[in-house]
Amino acid sequence: MKFEHTSVLLKEVLDNLAIKPDGIYVDGTLGGGGHSYHILERLTSGGRLIGIDQDTDAIRAAGERLSCFEDQVTIVHDNYEHIAEVLEDLSISAVDGILLDLGVSSYQLDNPERGFTYRTDAPLDMRMDQSSALTAREIVNTWSQEDIARILREYGEERCAGRIAANIVRRREKSPLETTGDLSEVIRASIPAKMREKGGNPDKRTFQAIRIACNRELDVLRDSLDTMIDLLKPGGRLCVITFHSLEDRIVKNAFKRNEKPCICPPEFPVCVCGRESKGRVVTRKAIAPGAEELKMNRRSASAKLRVFEKK
């Protein structure tokens, strides 16, 4: 299956990165290289792009797509949580811009072998990094009922989390859940008919929650944003595209904290905590796709772009 993914908010990303022709940029979620290709088009021979992705299929696809840029691009198989180590290995101390596109690629969603989709019966996998030990199958078959319910509530905002978790445990006592179809069957049996009619596909929230847990997505994001801001040169920008409220909240709060880090009580006449601002939030309101993009790519509907500029 060909690795395909439509680059979301492409023009908005390129505009907000404020690309310098001789700058150094990092695409922390390289995917098939869509955003990176257009960044590289704007660089001169002195510019450079480092692409990071944990998916080996994405690495191969991006390598082919970006091969025409030769020495200007370096592709690294890793998780963006290790961006500081990646740059240190390349003898780079600071960069002009960093991009994160946190969406699951169309290839990952549509390829049954990857186990991300509930539309096709396939092995329960959901790993972004296929060398990772933890799979969706292990989560549903070995985690406690309490932990499963917790991730369904926290990561999927699923109102029937307790019932689904209980039914997963009850089902696996007979035989392990092996496929996405097995999981889907349990979910549908756990959600009342009236809720299924109103809430769209009943599988979506549970599959999202298990995928997030399997790949530690929110923890990685939460733990990486401050580091990324620290790695920017003065005037450098961090652009983050999120696809659901949990991600967006983490990014919004991190940007706000780095813009106004003071923890002094409001009644203090002057700041005594010594925490200084690292820069400014460029996007007071998240940037969403326009009508034309929504028409061309329905999967962009929930995308939001936020931008931070280093002081």
PDB file of all heavy atoms in Angstrom, residues 113-148:
ATOM      1  N   GLU A 113      -3.416  -3.595   7.958  1.00  0.00           N
ATOM      2  CA  GLU A 113      -2.354  -4.300   8.680  1.00  0.00           C
ATOM      3  C   GLU A 113      -1.876  -3.539   9.905  1.00  0.00           C
ATOM      4  O   GLU A 113      -1.335  -4.130  10.840  1.00  0.00           O
ATOM      5  CB  GLU A 113      -1.167  -4.568   7.740  1.00  0.00           C
ATOM      6  CG  GLU A 113      -1.502  -5.494   6.582  1.00  0.00           C
ATOM      7  CD  GLU A 113      -0.327  -5.656   5.635  1.00  0.00           C
ATOM      8  OE1 GLU A 113       0.766  -5.119   5.960  1.00  0.00           O
ATOM      9  OE2 GLU A 113      -0.485  -6.308   4.597  1.00  0.00           O
ATOM     10  N   ARG A 114      -2.082  -2.221   9.925  1.00  0.00           N
ATOM     11  CA  ARG A 114      -1.590  -1.419  11.039  1.00  0.00           C
ATOM     12  C   ARG A 114      -2.559  -1.421  12.224  1.00  0.00           C
ATOM     13  O   ARG A 114      -2.194  -1.007  13.319  1.00  0.00           O
ATOM     14  CB  ARG A 114      -1.325   0.024  10.579  1.00  0.00           C
ATOM     15  CG  ARG A 114      -0.296   0.150   9.453  1.00  0.00           C
ATOM     16  CD  ARG A 114       1.073  -0.408   9.835  1.00  0.00           C
ATOM     17  NE  ARG A 114       1.640   0.327  10.926  1.00  0.00           N
ATOM     18  CZ  ARG A 114       2.379   1.437  10.769  1.00  0.00           C
ATOM     19  NH1 ARG A 114       2.630   1.900   9.569  1.00  0.00           N
ATOM     20  NH2 ARG A 114       2.876   2.049  11.821  1.00  0.00           N
ATOM     21  N   GLY A 115      -3.800  -1.850  12.000  1.00  0.00           N
ATOM     22  CA  GLY A 115      -4.747  -2.011  13.100  1.00  0.00           C
ATOM     23  C   GLY A 115      -5.258  -0.727  13.724  1.00  0.00           C
ATOM     24  O   GLY A 115      -5.718  -0.725  14.864  1.00  0.00           O
ATOM     25  N   PHE A 116      -5.210   0.392  12.985  1.00  0.00           N
ATOM     26  CA  PHE A 116      -5.712   1.661  13.515  1.00  0.00           C
ATOM     27  C   PHE A 116      -7.207   1.834  13.269  1.00  0.00           C
ATOM     28  O   PHE A 116      -7.872   2.571  13.983  1.00  0.00           O
ATOM     29  CB  PHE A 116      -4.988   2.851  12.854  1.00  0.00           C
ATOM     30  CG  PHE A 116      -3.588   3.061  13.329  1.00  0.00           C
ATOM     31  CD1 PHE A 116      -2.516   2.617  12.588  1.00  0.00           C
ATOM     32  CD2 PHE A 116      -3.332   3.715  14.523  1.00  0.00           C
ATOM     33  CE1 PHE A 116      -1.208   2.815  13.015  1.00  0.00           C
ATOM     34  CE2 PHE A 116      -2.035   3.922  14.967  1.00  0.00           C
ATOM     35  CZ  PHE A 116      -0.976   3.467  14.203  1.00  0.00           C
ATOM     36  N   THR A 117      -7.717   1.196  12.238  1.00  0.00           N
ATOM     37  CA  THR A 117      -9.080   1.470  11.808  1.00  0.00           C
ATOM     38  C   THR A 117     -10.081   0.456  12.356  1.00  0.00           C
ATOM     39  O   THR A 117      -9.758  -0.721  12.527  1.00  0.00           O
ATOM     40  CB  THR A 117      -9.174   1.493  10.265  1.00  0.00           C
ATOM     41  OG1 THR A 117     -10.522   1.790   9.886  1.00  0.00           O
ATOM     42  CG2 THR A 117      -8.747   0.161   9.656  1.00  0.00           C
ATOM     43  N   TYR A 118     -11.276   0.939  12.608  1.00  0.00           N
ATOM     44  CA  TYR A 118     -12.359   0.065  13.045  1.00  0.00           C
ATOM     45  C   TYR A 118     -13.251  -0.309  11.866  1.00  0.00           C
ATOM     46  O   TYR A 118     -14.254  -0.984  12.034  1.00  0.00           O
ATOM     47  CB  TYR A 118     -13.198   0.749  14.133  1.00  0.00           C
ATOM     48  CG  TYR A 118     -13.453   2.220  13.899  1.00  0.00           C
ATOM     49  CD1 TYR A 118     -14.438   2.653  13.016  1.00  0.00           C
ATOM     50  CD2 TYR A 118     -12.695   3.183  14.560  1.00  0.00           C
ATOM     51  CE1 TYR A 118     -14.668   3.998  12.795  1.00  0.00           C
ATOM     52  CE2 TYR A 118     -12.924   4.539  14.352  1.00  0.00           C
ATOM     53  CZ  TYR A 118     -13.905   4.937  13.467  1.00  0.00           C
ATOM     54  OH  TYR A 118     -14.124   6.279  13.250  1.00  0.00           O
ATOM     55  N   ARG A 119     -12.881   0.133  10.675  1.00  0.00           N
ATOM     56  CA  ARG A 119     -13.706  -0.143   9.502  1.00  0.00           C
ATOM     57  C   ARG A 119     -13.366  -1.484   8.853  1.00  0.00           C
ATOM     58  O   ARG A 119     -14.105  -1.976   8.015  1.00  0.00           O
ATOM     59  CB  ARG A 119     -13.550   0.980   8.480  1.00  0.00           C
ATOM     60  CG  ARG A 119     -14.091   2.319   8.969  1.00  0.00           C
ATOM     61  CD  ARG A 119     -14.044   3.376   7.891  1.00  0.00           C
ATOM     62  NE  ARG A 119     -14.658   4.621   8.350  1.00  0.00           N
ATOM     63  CZ  ARG A 119     -14.002   5.595   8.949  1.00  0.00           C
ATOM     64  NH1 ARG A 119     -12.700   5.458   9.177  1.00  0.00           N
ATOM     65  NH2 ARG A 119     -14.616   6.697   9.336  1.00  0.00           N
ATOM     66  N   THR A 120     -12.207  -2.057   9.207  1.00  0.00           N
ATOM     67  CA  THR A 120     -11.775  -3.331   8.644  1.00  0.00           C
ATOM     68  C   THR A 120     -11.294  -4.233   9.769  1.00  0.00           C
ATOM     69  O   THR A 120     -10.612  -3.767  10.683  1.00  0.00           O
ATOM     70  CB  THR A 120     -10.613  -3.114   7.642  1.00  0.00           C
ATOM     71  OG1 THR A 120     -11.016  -2.164   6.651  1.00  0.00           O
ATOM     72  CG2 THR A 120     -10.248  -4.419   6.945  1.00  0.00           C
ATOM     73  N   ASP A 121     -11.627  -5.504   9.697  1.00  0.00           N
ATOM     74  CA  ASP A 121     -11.177  -6.448  10.711  1.00  0.00           C
ATOM     75  C   ASP A 121      -9.705  -6.767  10.470  1.00  0.00           C
ATOM     76  O   ASP A 121      -9.334  -7.249   9.395  1.00  0.00           O
ATOM     77  CB  ASP A 121     -12.025  -7.726  10.648  1.00  0.00           C
ATOM     78  CG  ASP A 121     -11.833  -8.598  11.882  1.00  0.00           C
ATOM     79  OD1 ASP A 121     -11.423  -8.067  12.927  1.00  0.00           O
ATOM     80  OD2 ASP A 121     -12.083  -9.812  11.790  1.00  0.00           O
ATOM     81  N   ALA A 122      -8.873  -6.454  11.454  1.00  0.00           N
ATOM     82  CA  ALA A 122      -7.425  -6.612  11.302  1.00  0.00           C
ATOM     83  C   ALA A 122      -6.805  -6.864  12.672  1.00  0.00           C
ATOM     84  O   ALA A 122      -7.445  -6.635  13.706  1.00  0.00           O
ATOM     85  CB  ALA A 122      -6.825  -5.346  10.686  1.00  0.00           C
ATOM     86  N   PRO A 123      -5.549  -7.336  12.722  1.00  0.00           N
ATOM     87  CA  PRO A 123      -4.894  -7.548  14.019  1.00  0.00           C
ATOM     88  C   PRO A 123      -4.841  -6.273  14.838  1.00  0.00           C
ATOM     89  O   PRO A 123      -4.626  -5.179  14.301  1.00  0.00           O
ATOM     90  CB  PRO A 123      -3.486  -8.005  13.614  1.00  0.00           C
ATOM     91  CG  PRO A 123      -3.655  -8.593  12.252  1.00  0.00           C
ATOM     92  CD  PRO A 123      -4.719  -7.771  11.583  1.00  0.00           C
ATOM     93  N   LEU A 124      -5.052  -6.391  16.146  1.00  0.00           N
ATOM     94  CA  LEU A 124      -5.007  -5.242  17.050  1.00  0.00           C
ATOM     95  C   LEU A 124      -3.557  -4.817  17.242  1.00  0.00           C
ATOM     96  O   LEU A 124      -2.808  -5.463  17.968  1.00  0.00           O
ATOM     97  CB  LEU A 124      -5.630  -5.601  18.403  1.00  0.00           C
ATOM     98  CG  LEU A 124      -7.137  -5.426  18.532  1.00  0.00           C
ATOM     99  CD1 LEU A 124      -7.621  -6.060  19.829  1.00  0.00           C
ATOM    100  CD2 LEU A 124      -7.506  -3.947  18.500  1.00  0.00           C
ATOM    101  N   ASP A 125      -3.161  -3.723  16.582  1.00  0.00           N
ATOM    102  CA  ASP A 125      -1.773  -3.276  16.664  1.00  0.00           C
ATOM    103  C   ASP A 125      -1.715  -1.834  17.150  1.00  0.00           C
ATOM    104  O   ASP A 125      -1.475  -1.558  18.308  1.00  0.00           O
ATOM    105  CB  ASP A 125      -1.095  -3.438  15.305  1.00  0.00           C
ATOM    106  CG  ASP A 125       0.413  -3.315  15.386  1.00  0.00           C
ATOM    107  OD1 ASP A 125       0.908  -2.499  16.205  1.00  0.00           O
ATOM    108  OD2 ASP A 125       1.125  -4.008  14.650  1.00  0.00           O
ATOM    109  N   MET A 126      -1.925  -0.877  16.241  1.00  0.00           N
ATOM    110  CA  MET A 126      -1.986   0.564  16.536  1.00  0.00           C
ATOM    111  C   MET A 126      -0.651   1.186  16.903  1.00  0.00           C
ATOM    112  O   MET A 126      -0.608   2.322  17.401  1.00  0.00           O
ATOM    113  CB  MET A 126      -3.013   0.879  17.644  1.00  0.00           C
ATOM    114  CG  MET A 126      -4.433   0.456  17.362  1.00  0.00           C
ATOM    115  SD  MET A 126      -5.601   1.233  18.506  1.00  0.00           S
ATOM    116  CE  MET A 126      -7.064   0.233  18.209  1.00  0.00           C
ATOM    117  N   ARG A 127       0.455   0.526  16.650  1.00  0.00           N
ATOM    118  CA  ARG A 127       1.768   1.122  16.955  1.00  0.00           C
ATOM    119  C   ARG A 127       2.207   2.073  15.853  1.00  0.00           C
ATOM    120  O   ARG A 127       2.205   1.718  14.681  1.00  0.00           O
ATOM    121  CB  ARG A 127       2.823   0.037  17.131  1.00  0.00           C
ATOM    122  CG  ARG A 127       2.658  -0.847  18.342  1.00  0.00           C
ATOM    123  CD  ARG A 127       3.672  -1.985  18.327  1.00  0.00           C
ATOM    124  NE  ARG A 127       3.450  -2.858  17.164  1.00  0.00           N
ATOM    125  CZ  ARG A 127       4.270  -3.851  16.819  1.00  0.00           C
ATOM    126  NH1 ARG A 127       5.361  -4.079  17.521  1.00  0.00           N
ATOM    127  NH2 ARG A 127       3.999  -4.612  15.761  1.00  0.00           N
ATOM    128  N   MET A 128       2.604   3.269  16.233  1.00  0.00           N
ATOM    129  CA  MET A 128       3.261   4.169  15.283  1.00  0.00           C
ATOM    130  C   MET A 128       4.666   3.654  14.956  1.00  0.00           C
ATOM    131  O   MET A 128       5.111   3.670  13.815  1.00  0.00           O
ATOM    132  CB  MET A 128       3.367   5.580  15.864  1.00  0.00           C
ATOM    133  CG  MET A 128       2.041   6.229  16.240  1.00  0.00           C
ATOM    134  SD  MET A 128       1.152   6.791  14.811  1.00  0.00           S
ATOM    135  CE  MET A 128      -0.132   7.759  15.587  1.00  0.00           C
ATOM    136  N   ASP A 129       5.358   3.220  15.997  1.00  0.00           N
ATOM    137  CA  ASP A 129       6.690   2.637  15.860  1.00  0.00           C
ATOM    138  C   ASP A 129       6.539   1.124  15.949  1.00  0.00           C
ATOM    139  O   ASP A 129       6.255   0.577  17.009  1.00  0.00           O
ATOM    140  CB  ASP A 129       7.615   3.148  16.974  1.00  0.00           C
ATOM    141  CG  ASP A 129       9.031   2.591  16.859  1.00  0.00           C
ATOM    142  OD1 ASP A 129       9.268   1.698  16.016  1.00  0.00           O
ATOM    143  OD2 ASP A 129       9.905   3.051  17.617  1.00  0.00           O
ATOM    144  N   GLN A 130       6.720   0.460  14.822  1.00  0.00           N
ATOM    145  CA  GLN A 130       6.462  -0.975  14.779  1.00  0.00           C
ATOM    146  C   GLN A 130       7.506  -1.807  15.512  1.00  0.00           C
ATOM    147  O   GLN A 130       7.351  -3.016  15.660  1.00  0.00           O
ATOM    148  CB  GLN A 130       6.337  -1.429  13.324  1.00  0.00           C
ATOM    149  CG  GLN A 130       5.068  -0.879  12.665  1.00  0.00           C
ATOM    150  CD  GLN A 130       4.975  -1.206  11.200  1.00  0.00           C
ATOM    151  OE1 GLN A 130       5.751  -0.705  10.389  1.00  0.00           O
ATOM    152  NE2 GLN A 130       4.016  -2.048  10.847  1.00  0.00           N
ATOM    153  N   SER A 131       8.554  -1.148  16.000  1.00  0.00           N
ATOM    154  CA  SER A 131       9.535  -1.862  16.820  1.00  0.00           C
ATOM    155  C   SER A 131       9.188  -1.780  18.308  1.00  0.00           C
ATOM    156  O   SER A 131       9.835  -2.407  19.140  1.00  0.00           O
ATOM    157  CB  SER A 131      10.942  -1.289  16.587  1.00  0.00           C
ATOM    158  OG  SER A 131      11.018   0.056  17.057  1.00  0.00           O
ATOM    159  N   SER A 132       8.161  -0.995  18.627  1.00  0.00           N
ATOM    160  CA  SER A 132       7.737  -0.859  20.018  1.00  0.00           C
ATOM    161  C   SER A 132       7.102  -2.147  20.516  1.00  0.00           C
ATOM    162  O   SER A 132       6.443  -2.870  19.768  1.00  0.00           O
ATOM    163  CB  SER A 132       6.736   0.294  20.138  1.00  0.00           C
ATOM    164  OG  SER A 132       6.206   0.375  21.441  1.00  0.00           O
ATOM    165  N   ALA A 133       7.286  -2.434  21.798  1.00  0.00           N
ATOM    166  CA  ALA A 133       6.775  -3.685  22.364  1.00  0.00           C
ATOM    167  C   ALA A 133       5.285  -3.631  22.648  1.00  0.00           C
ATOM    168  O   ALA A 133       4.571  -4.637  22.522  1.00  0.00           O
ATOM    169  CB  ALA A 133       7.532  -4.021  23.648  1.00  0.00           C
ATOM    170  N   LEU A 134       4.776  -2.465  23.038  1.00  0.00           N
ATOM    171  CA  LEU A 134       3.386  -2.357  23.465  1.00  0.00           C
ATOM    172  C   LEU A 134       2.446  -2.226  22.267  1.00  0.00           C
ATOM    173  O   LEU A 134       2.600  -1.335  21.436  1.00  0.00           O
ATOM    174  CB  LEU A 134       3.200  -1.142  24.376  1.00  0.00           C
ATOM    175  CG  LEU A 134       1.795  -0.924  24.943  1.00  0.00           C
ATOM    176  CD1 LEU A 134       1.360  -2.103  25.803  1.00  0.00           C
ATOM    177  CD2 LEU A 134       1.725   0.379  25.721  1.00  0.00           C
ATOM    178  N   THR A 135       1.460  -3.111  22.195  1.00  0.00           N
ATOM    179  CA  THR A 135       0.444  -3.074  21.143  1.00  0.00           C
ATOM    180  C   THR A 135      -0.935  -2.881  21.761  1.00  0.00           C
ATOM    181  O   THR A 135      -1.134  -3.053  22.967  1.00  0.00           O
ATOM    182  CB  THR A 135       0.430  -4.380  20.335  1.00  0.00           C
ATOM    183  OG1 THR A 135       0.039  -5.453  21.202  1.00  0.00           O
ATOM    184  CG2 THR A 135       1.795  -4.684  19.737  1.00  0.00           C
ATOM    185  N   ALA A 136      -1.900  -2.563  20.905  1.00  0.00           N
ATOM    186  CA  ALA A 136      -3.280  -2.459  21.369  1.00  0.00           C
ATOM    187  C   ALA A 136      -3.762  -3.808  21.904  1.00  0.00           C
ATOM    188  O   ALA A 136      -4.544  -3.862  22.859  1.00  0.00           O
ATOM    189  CB  ALA A 136      -4.177  -1.993  20.228  1.00  0.00           C
ATOM    190  N   ARG A 137      -3.309  -4.891  21.298  1.00  0.00           N
ATOM    191  CA  ARG A 137      -3.696  -6.226  21.756  1.00  0.00           C
ATOM    192  C   ARG A 137      -3.278  -6.453  23.209  1.00  0.00           C
ATOM    193  O   ARG A 137      -4.042  -6.987  24.017  1.00  0.00           O
ATOM    194  CB  ARG A 137      -3.071  -7.302  20.867  1.00  0.00           C
ATOM    195  CG  ARG A 137      -3.480  -8.724  21.261  1.00  0.00           C
ATOM    196  CD  ARG A 137      -2.666  -9.780  20.520  1.00  0.00           C
ATOM    197  NE  ARG A 137      -3.140 -11.111  20.863  1.00  0.00           N
ATOM    198  CZ  ARG A 137      -2.828 -11.761  21.982  1.00  0.00           C
ATOM    199  NH1 ARG A 137      -2.044 -11.172  22.897  1.00  0.00           N
ATOM    200  NH2 ARG A 137      -3.297 -12.976  22.212  1.00  0.00           N
ATOM    201  N   GLU A 138      -2.056  -6.020  23.552  1.00  0.00           N
ATOM    202  CA  GLU A 138      -1.583  -6.201  24.919  1.00  0.00           C
ATOM    203  C   GLU A 138      -2.412  -5.355  25.887  1.00  0.00           C
ATOM    204  O   GLU A 138      -2.739  -5.807  26.988  1.00  0.00           O
ATOM    205  CB  GLU A 138      -0.112  -5.836  25.033  1.00  0.00           C
ATOM    206  CG  GLU A 138       0.432  -6.028  26.439  1.00  0.00           C
ATOM    207  CD  GLU A 138       1.926  -5.791  26.550  1.00  0.00           C
ATOM    208  OE1 GLU A 138       2.598  -5.710  25.506  1.00  0.00           O
ATOM    209  OE2 GLU A 138       2.412  -5.666  27.685  1.00  0.00           O
ATOM    210  N   ILE A 139      -2.761  -4.147  25.487  1.00  0.00           N
ATOM    211  CA  ILE A 139      -3.546  -3.268  26.367  1.00  0.00           C
ATOM    212  C   ILE A 139      -4.891  -3.908  26.705  1.00  0.00           C
ATOM    213  O   ILE A 139      -5.263  -4.016  27.875  1.00  0.00           O
ATOM    214  CB  ILE A 139      -3.748  -1.891  25.710  1.00  0.00           C
ATOM    215  CG1 ILE A 139      -2.416  -1.124  25.682  1.00  0.00           C
ATOM    216  CG2 ILE A 139      -4.806  -1.075  26.471  1.00  0.00           C
ATOM    217  CD1 ILE A 139      -2.475   0.184  24.920  1.00  0.00           C
ATOM    218  N   VAL A 140      -5.621  -4.354  25.684  1.00  0.00           N
ATOM    219  CA  VAL A 140      -6.970  -4.858  25.955  1.00  0.00           C
ATOM    220  C   VAL A 140      -6.963  -6.229  26.629  1.00  0.00           C
ATOM    221  O   VAL A 140      -7.927  -6.593  27.305  1.00  0.00           O
ATOM    222  CB  VAL A 140      -7.835  -4.912  24.673  1.00  0.00           C
ATOM    223  CG1 VAL A 140      -7.992  -3.523  24.081  1.00  0.00           C
ATOM    224  CG2 VAL A 140      -7.262  -5.877  23.646  1.00  0.00           C
ATOM    225  N   ASN A 141      -5.850  -6.974  26.479  1.00  0.00           N
ATOM    226  CA  ASN A 141      -5.827  -8.331  27.044  1.00  0.00           C
ATOM    227  C   ASN A 141      -5.073  -8.463  28.364  1.00  0.00           C
ATOM    228  O   ASN A 141      -5.216  -9.482  29.050  1.00  0.00           O
ATOM    229  CB  ASN A 141      -5.233  -9.313  26.027  1.00  0.00           C
ATOM    230  CG  ASN A 141      -6.186  -9.618  24.895  1.00  0.00           C
ATOM    231  OD1 ASN A 141      -7.275 -10.137  25.108  1.00  0.00           O
ATOM    232  ND2 ASN A 141      -5.781  -9.280  23.675  1.00  0.00           N
ATOM    233  N   THR A 142      -4.296  -7.444  28.744  1.00  0.00           N
ATOM    234  CA  THR A 142      -3.496  -7.577  29.971  1.00  0.00           C
ATOM    235  C   THR A 142      -3.686  -6.441  30.965  1.00  0.00           C
ATOM    236  O   THR A 142      -3.419  -6.634  32.152  1.00  0.00           O
ATOM    237  CB  THR A 142      -1.994  -7.690  29.640  1.00  0.00           C
ATOM    238  OG1 THR A 142      -1.521  -6.448  29.105  1.00  0.00           O
ATOM    239  CG2 THR A 142      -1.721  -8.818  28.652  1.00  0.00           C
ATOM    240  N   TRP A 143      -4.134  -5.279  30.523  1.00  0.00           N
ATOM    241  CA  TRP A 143      -4.297  -4.178  31.463  1.00  0.00           C
ATOM    242  C   TRP A 143      -5.518  -4.428  32.348  1.00  0.00           C
ATOM    243  O   TRP A 143      -6.475  -5.094  31.947  1.00  0.00           O
ATOM    244  CB  TRP A 143      -4.450  -2.858  30.717  1.00  0.00           C
ATOM    245  CG  TRP A 143      -3.152  -2.319  30.181  1.00  0.00           C
ATOM    246  CD1 TRP A 143      -2.018  -3.026  29.916  1.00  0.00           C
ATOM    247  CD2 TRP A 143      -2.874  -0.972  29.830  1.00  0.00           C
ATOM    248  NE1 TRP A 143      -1.037  -2.200  29.415  1.00  0.00           N
ATOM    249  CE2 TRP A 143      -1.541  -0.926  29.349  1.00  0.00           C
ATOM    250  CE3 TRP A 143      -3.609   0.210  29.855  1.00  0.00           C
ATOM    251  CZ2 TRP A 143      -0.932   0.248  28.912  1.00  0.00           C
ATOM    252  CZ3 TRP A 143      -3.014   1.388  29.414  1.00  0.00           C
ATOM    253  CH2 TRP A 143      -1.691   1.406  28.960  1.00  0.00           C
ATOM    254  N   SER A 144      -5.483  -3.861  33.536  1.00  0.00           N
ATOM    255  CA  SER A 144      -6.593  -4.030  34.461  1.00  0.00           C
ATOM    256  C   SER A 144      -7.832  -3.315  33.955  1.00  0.00           C
ATOM    257  O   SER A 144      -7.755  -2.384  33.142  1.00  0.00           O
ATOM    258  CB  SER A 144      -6.221  -3.479  35.842  1.00  0.00           C
ATOM    259  OG  SER A 144      -6.140  -2.058  35.798  1.00  0.00           O
ATOM    260  N   GLN A 145      -8.968  -3.739  34.454  1.00  0.00           N
ATOM    261  CA  GLN A 145     -10.231  -3.093  34.089  1.00  0.00           C
ATOM    262  C   GLN A 145     -10.201  -1.621  34.451  1.00  0.00           C
ATOM    263  O   GLN A 145     -10.673  -0.766  33.689  1.00  0.00           O
ATOM    264  CB  GLN A 145     -11.394  -3.788  34.815  1.00  0.00           C
ATOM    265  CG  GLN A 145     -12.759  -3.189  34.505  1.00  0.00           C
ATOM    266  CD  GLN A 145     -13.890  -3.981  35.164  1.00  0.00           C
ATOM    267  OE1 GLN A 145     -13.822  -5.196  35.261  1.00  0.00           O
ATOM    268  NE2 GLN A 145     -14.919  -3.286  35.624  1.00  0.00           N
ATOM    269  N   GLU A 146      -9.615  -1.295  35.594  1.00  0.00           N
ATOM    270  CA  GLU A 146      -9.543   0.103  36.046  1.00  0.00           C
ATOM    271  C   GLU A 146      -8.709   0.948  35.093  1.00  0.00           C
ATOM    272  O   GLU A 146      -9.073   2.086  34.766  1.00  0.00           O
ATOM    273  CB  GLU A 146      -8.960   0.171  37.459  1.00  0.00           C
ATOM    274  CG  GLU A 146      -9.850  -0.407  38.542  1.00  0.00           C
ATOM    275  CD  GLU A 146      -9.895  -1.939  38.541  1.00  0.00           C
ATOM    276  OE1 GLU A 146      -9.005  -2.572  37.914  1.00  0.00           O
ATOM    277  OE2 GLU A 146     -10.820  -2.498  39.150  1.00  0.00           O
ATOM    278  N   ASP A 147      -7.558   0.413  34.652  1.00  0.00           N
ATOM    279  CA  ASP A 147      -6.691   1.172  33.752  1.00  0.00           C
ATOM    280  C   ASP A 147      -7.318   1.347  32.376  1.00  0.00           C
ATOM    281  O   ASP A 147      -7.176   2.406  31.742  1.00  0.00           O
ATOM    282  CB  ASP A 147      -5.325   0.493  33.620  1.00  0.00           C
ATOM    283  CG  ASP A 147      -4.430   0.745  34.827  1.00  0.00           C
ATOM    284  OD1 ASP A 147      -4.701   1.708  35.563  1.00  0.00           O
ATOM    285  OD2 ASP A 147      -3.472  -0.027  35.034  1.00  0.00           O
ATOM    286  N   ILE A 148      -7.999   0.316  31.899  1.00  0.00           N
ATOM    287  CA  ILE A 148      -8.674   0.437  30.605  1.00  0.00           C
ATOM    288  C   ILE A 148      -9.772   1.493  30.686  1.00  0.00           C
ATOM    289  O   ILE A 148      -9.892   2.356  29.815  1.00  0.00           O
ATOM    290  CB  ILE A 148      -9.246  -0.920  30.154  1.00  0.00           C
ATOM    291  CG1 ILE A 148      -8.099  -1.897  29.856  1.00  0.00           C
ATOM    292  CG2 ILE A 148     -10.117  -0.745  28.906  1.00  0.00           C
ATOM    293  CD1 ILE A 148      -8.560  -3.307  29.553  1.00  0.00           C
TER     294      ILE A 148
END
